[in-house]
Amino acid sequence: MSTSPVSIAIIGAGGVGKCFLSQLQALAARRPNPKLSLVYISTSKKALFKSDYSAIPIDSAVQELSAASTAPLALPKVIEYLAAAPSKVVLVDNTSSQDVADSYPAFLRSGISIVTPNKKAFSGSYQLWQDIFNAASTSGAKVYHESSVGAGLPVISTLKDLVDTGDEVTKIEGVFSGTMSFLFNSFAPLEGSGGKWSAEVKKAKELGYTEPDPRDDLNGLDVARKLTILARLAGLPVESPTSFPVQSLIPQALESVASGDEFLQRLPEFDSEMESVKTTAEKEGKVVRFVGSIDVATKSVKVGLEKFDRSHPIAALKGSDNIISFYTKRYGSNPLIVQGAGAGGDVTAMGVTSDLLKVLSQI
Amino acid sequence: MSTSPVSIAIIGAGGVGKCFLSQLQALAARRPNPKLSLVYISTSKKALFKSDYSAIPIDSAVQELSAASTAPLALPKVIEYLAAAPSKVVLVDNTSSQDVADSYPAFLRSGISIVTPNKKAFSGSYQLWQDIFNAASTSGAKVYHESSVGAGLPVISTLKDLVDTGDEVTKIEGVFSGTMSFLFNSFAPLEGSGGKWSAEVKKAKELGYTEPDPRDDLNGLDVARKLTILARLAGLPVESPTSFPVQSLIPQALESVASGDEFLQRLPEFDSEMESVKTTAEKEGKVVRFVGSIDVATKSVKVGLEKFDRSHPIAALKGSDNIISFYTKRYGSNPLIVQGAGAGGDVTAMGVTSDLLKVLSQI
């Protein structure tokens, strides 16, 4: 690890962003080398930075930012500003912005490394994916995105290690959404009978486990984005998260209702459909779960409801945990499994912070 | 990643060593940069190396080695030879030798990085542990040992990421021995009643799941070594693998019988003891498993038999899989779990190869 100072630029100071700042502060206090200097931080409305790249105090950055009146720089200007910094630079993108993601190739071409939980960059068009990794490969800048799948769980790093050491990944299967995990572990539990589908969705929303409009979870797109990332890492040139079958759990009649609240009000009309899915599985001695799977040999990627034996690790999942099973040639019939919380500010930020440490050890 | 060539030295060409060589060959073919040059390879009896450091062909190294008549260099001479190499050097120690392990500080002080599955280096005296990491920190040489616990499973890297990003690890618990996993999954399975203890030990030996003398698994020392490594990474200065309670499954009367065969012959005399352990657990609706656990707050490390609810992930383990649960402040009541094959040449070599890739990206 070089001991020259490294400049850190952060875009995004929401839930994950705040947790990351707190981890960054602890890290800077614990590890004096290399000296980390925060030179830019912005939200969609405001930014903090100095023309002489002097360091912004990490502990008061969020407060200073909320008191600031400077608008954020346009992304090409951010790149220009950071490329001219007197030290190496790591961009931490804590947004879920497609615009920021679309600028990754330009950041990387300018030698700026990137760590991020932003799924959009890696699950958008395959062209963007190629542009990102080609730019990194040409400039030598690094790009890490552990938290784009399963938050801080070692999912991306494990898959990369399998591939890079020459193992043959045959299948990846799992529960990739904390929301879907919670919903199905409550709706179709191993013990007891579970509540009505609409009631479980309502409860999940009240507990903060869903997006403000629960349809943004139930449409399956979040899971499809994660599958796209993993499939590409496993070698499949998946065109986009809508280029393979994704089962939406939004009843067609409710797709276009005006609000999430109206959706929740009318959802009970469709409880019998989900109830029948549940009882069909029960009659086979199984439980229903919302999973994603990638079959590498047949190049098939899909997202939707599947039935699992009650002894299957996917059936036994608890709370809002994720589980990801890697079937490979080396691991044979028993997969390598990673399991645990796959959402939440602290564990998502942890993936970003550990990615930052990996970049710092290499630049 | 630097593009200057890197010299590789390998000690050990047994099961893991051969699998590693095959992965190294595939790696060198797939990734031309940095150029990897095998400059030294040895077993306990023989060695291959040239005074001008010219490359040994990786694909024929094992054959050439068996035809060779050169004795291996003494370890101080190996260090001298490698320290004078014209490029950076990584030592791959694929032995389980205490002597090689004891030389790690000297290798590292000479700027030679190390990747290894050798548990002895990290589970011997706490002084050796400190010497190793102090030497690495002073010289900047790297030392990675993922496969010292759970073979290629992401155990060490996950624990390091948790600690390095500032999470507070409260407890680590799991099944750390493929042999013990197989024995208890067969002896006290979730479904059915399982065989007699002595019959399961005999079967495990016949299937190649035990050491030549099964007592080398049943004494618990292998698990104690792994616990020592994880406890130290979690911040506990554990003095040695015999400085905490380790339950041996060798009946006292059989500790000193002359051979593994005699041990197996007499083991049935003690079946009733293990049977009573099993039925006691069954009466509580539980199953018995051989586990290791680390409670960080109370600084308590222990290895032995424990009872688990039938719905516990440890109870549901299959085949000879390992499972490791990390309980941390950030992950709360549901631990981060890693599970899968924790032994075998290919998956052990995979951990070594992925460690090598990490070192190559940093030197």
Side-chain angles (χ1 to χ4, degrees):
Chain A
M1 192 179 295
S2 156
T3 51
S4 350
V6 172
S7 296
I8 307 289
I10 302 176
I11 305 184
V16 173
K18 288 198 178 78
C19 290
F20 172 75
L21 273 166
S22 138
Q23 292 181 20
L24 180 67
Q25 190 190 343
L27 182 73
R30 213 163 52 234
R31 295 167 61 130
N33 278 316
K35 186 168 160 45
L36 301 177
S37 178
L38 179 61
V39 300
Y40 184 88
I41 180 167
S42 69
T43 62
S44 56
K45 303 248 164 62
K46 293 172 173 187
L48 282 182
F49 62 98
K50 301 275 169 55
S51 56
D52 65 354
Y53 301 95
S54 56
I56 302 158
I58 298 171
D59 55 349
S60 58
V62 172
Q63 277 170 291
E64 275 194 52
L65 194 57
S66 67
S69 56
T70 316
L73 296 173
L75 287 164
K77 291 285 173 193
V78 176
I79 296 171
E80 208 173 284
Y81 168 73
L82 294 177
S87 62
K88 298 207 168 171
V89 181
V90 181
L91 169 71
V92 184
D93 172 18
N94 282 329
T95 73
S96 57
S97 151
Q98 185 69 54
D99 284 346
V100 180
D102 288 340
S103 302
Y104 284 4
F107 277 98
L108 292 162
R109 273 195 300 271
S110 302
I112 299 160
S113 293
I114 299 173
V115 297
T116 184
N118 186 349
K119 283 188 279 291
K120 301 267 171 69
F122 310 96
S123 62
S125 75
Y126 191 61
Q127 186 62 52
L128 177 58
W129 169 276
Q130 288 178 305
D131 288 349
I132 288 171
F133 290 101
N134 286 340
S137 160
T138 306
S139 74
K142 309 295 171 192
V143 51
Y144 278 84
H145 55 102
E146 183 60 84
S147 285
S148 62
V149 179
L153 296 176
V155 176
I156 304 274
S157 53
T158 297
L159 178 53
K160 273 192 188 168
D161 281 349
L162 289 166
V163 171
D164 288 348
T165 62
D167 199 356
E168 199 180 298
V169 177
T170 52
K171 185 173 134 185
I172 303 172
E173 181 183 58
V175 172
F176 295 90
S177 153
T179 313
M180 290 294 199
S181 182
F182 178 83
L183 284 174
F184 283 89
N185 299 343
S186 315
F187 171 64
L190 278 189
E191 315 282 331
S193 61
K196 284 194 172 158
W197 175 247
S198 61
E200 296 299 347
V201 175
K202 195 154 170 272
K203 190 170 79 186
K205 176 167 179 188
E206 283 161 6
L207 290 169
Y209 285 148
T210 71
E211 297 290 325
D213 184 337
R215 287 176 295 182
D216 291 335
D217 295 296
L218 297 175
N219 64 14
L221 181 60
D222 172 69
V223 177
R225 286 194 176 278
K226 292 167 182 167
L227 269 281
T228 300
I229 297 172
L230 297 182
R232 287 172 178 173
L233 287 171
L236 299 182
V238 171
E239 187 44 48
S240 84
T242 55
S243 64
F244 52 85
V246 177
Q247 183 178 5
S248 168
L249 298 187
I250 307 171
Q252 212 171 358
L254 301 187
E255 270 175 5
S256 51
V257 298
S259 71
D261 285 344
E262 190 183 342
F263 168 76
L264 279 176
Q265 250 168 26
R266 292 194 47 195
L267 193 56
E269 299 167 27
F270 302 86
D271 275 344
S272 62
E273 287 179 25
M274 286 298 283
E275 202 62 28
S276 115
V277 167
K278 175 158 84 173
T279 50
T280 305
E282 277 170 359
K283 278 177 193 152
E284 299 174 32
K286 297 184 173 181
V287 293
V288 65
R289 295 290 183 263
F290 192 85
V291 298
S293 67
I294 299 163
D295 186 310
V296 178
T298 63
K299 301 185 180 174
S300 130
V301 183
K302 61 182 180 188
V303 171
L305 296 171
E306 302 272 352
K307 292 173 276 189
F308 290 90
D309 283 336
R310 297 170 53 84
S311 67
H312 195 286
I314 285 182
L317 210 58
K318 284 182 183 146
S320 60
D321 278 3
N322 287 13
I323 183 169
I324 298 95
S325 302
F326 298 99
Y327 293 82
T328 81
K329 196 173 163 201
R330 281 185 202 139
Y331 279 90
S333 54
N334 286 2
L336 189 171
I337 299 176
V338 176
Q339 180 179 334
D346 266 333
V347 294
T348 304
M350 170 200 154
V352 180
T353 306
S354 69
D355 279 351
L356 174 61
L357 286 169
K358 290 184 180 96
V359 171
L360 293 177
S361 74
Q362 291 177 53
I363 62 174
Chain B
M1 192 179 298
S2 155
T3 52
S4 354
V6 173
S7 296
I8 306 289
I10 303 177
I11 305 184
V16 172
K18 288 198 178 77
C19 290
F20 172 76
L21 274 166
S22 138
Q23 291 180 21
L24 181 67
Q25 189 189 345
L27 183 73
R30 215 164 50 235
R31 294 167 62 131
N33 278 317
K35 187 169 162 41
L36 301 176
S37 179
L38 179 60
V39 300
Y40 184 88
I41 179 166
S42 70
T43 62
S44 55
K45 303 246 164 62
K46 294 174 174 187
L48 283 181
F49 62 98
K50 303 273 170 53
S51 56
D52 65 352
Y53 301 94
S54 56
I56 302 159
I58 298 171
D59 55 349
S60 58
V62 172
Q63 276 170 290
E64 275 194 53
L65 194 57
S66 67
S69 55
T70 316
L73 296 173
L75 287 163
K77 291 285 174 194
V78 176
I79 296 171
E80 207 174 281
Y81 168 73
L82 295 177
S87 61
K88 299 208 167 171
V89 181
V90 182
L91 169 71
V92 184
D93 172 17
N94 282 329
T95 73
S96 56
S97 152
Q98 185 68 55
D99 284 347
V100 181
D102 288 340
S103 302
Y104 284 5
F107 277 98
L108 292 162
R109 273 196 299 272
S110 301
I112 298 160
S113 293
I114 298 174
V115 297
T116 184
N118 187 348
K119 284 186 279 292
K120 300 266 172 68
F122 311 97
S123 61
S125 75
Y126 191 60
Q127 186 63 52
L128 178 58
W129 169 276
Q130 288 179 304
D131 288 349
I132 288 171
F133 291 102
N134 287 339
S137 159
T138 305
S139 74
K142 310 295 171 192
V143 52
Y144 278 84
H145 55 103
E146 182 61 83
S147 286
S148 62
V149 180
L153 296 176
V155 176
I156 305 273
S157 53
T158 297
L159 178 53
K160 273 192 190 168
D161 281 349
L162 289 166
V163 171
D164 289 348
T165 62
D167 200 356
E168 198 180 299
V169 177
T170 52
K171 186 173 136 187
I172 303 172
E173 181 183 57
V175 172
F176 295 90
S177 153
T179 313
M180 291 293 199
S181 181
F182 178 83
L183 284 174
F184 283 89
N185 299 342
S186 315
F187 171 64
L190 278 188
E191 314 282 331
S193 60
K196 284 194 174 159
W197 175 248
S198 60
E200 297 298 348
V201 175
K202 194 154 172 271
K203 190 170 81 185
K205 177 170 177 185
E206 283 162 6
L207 290 169
Y209 285 148
T210 71
E211 297 291 325
D213 185 337
R215 286 176 295 182
D216 292 334
D217 295 297
L218 296 175
N219 63 14
L221 181 60
D222 172 70
V223 177
R225 286 194 176 277
K226 292 167 183 168
L227 269 280
T228 301
I229 297 173
L230 297 183
R232 287 172 177 174
L233 287 171
L236 298 183
V238 171
E239 186 45 47
S240 84
T242 54
S243 63
F244 52 85
V246 177
Q247 184 178 5
S248 169
L249 298 186
I250 307 171
Q252 213 171 356
L254 301 186
E255 271 174 5
S256 51
V257 300
S259 70
D261 285 343
E262 191 184 340
F263 169 76
L264 278 177
Q265 253 169 24
R266 292 194 46 196
L267 193 56
E269 299 167 26
F270 302 87
D271 275 344
S272 61
E273 287 179 26
M274 285 299 283
E275 202 61 29
S276 114
V277 168
K278 175 158 85 173
T279 50
T280 304
E282 278 170 359
K283 278 177 195 152
E284 299 174 31
K286 297 184 173 182
V287 292
V288 65
R289 295 288 183 265
F290 192 85
V291 298
S293 67
I294 298 162
D295 186 312
V296 179
T298 63
K299 300 183 181 175
S300 130
V301 183
K302 61 182 179 187
V303 171
L305 296 172
E306 302 272 352
K307 292 172 276 187
F308 290 90
D309 283 335
R310 299 169 53 82
S311 67
H312 195 285
I314 285 183
L317 210 58
K318 285 183 181 144
S320 60
D321 278 4
N322 287 14
I323 183 169
I324 298 95
S325 302
F326 298 99
Y327 293 82
T328 81
K329 197 172 163 201
R330 281 185 201 139
Y331 278 90
S333 54
N334 286 2
L336 189 170
I337 299 176
V338 176
Q339 180 179 335
D346 266 334
V347 294
T348 304
M350 171 198 152
V352 180
T353 306
S354 69
D355 279 351
L356 174 62
L357 286 169
K358 289 183 180 96
V359 171
L360 293 177
S361 73
Q362 291 176 52
I363 61 175

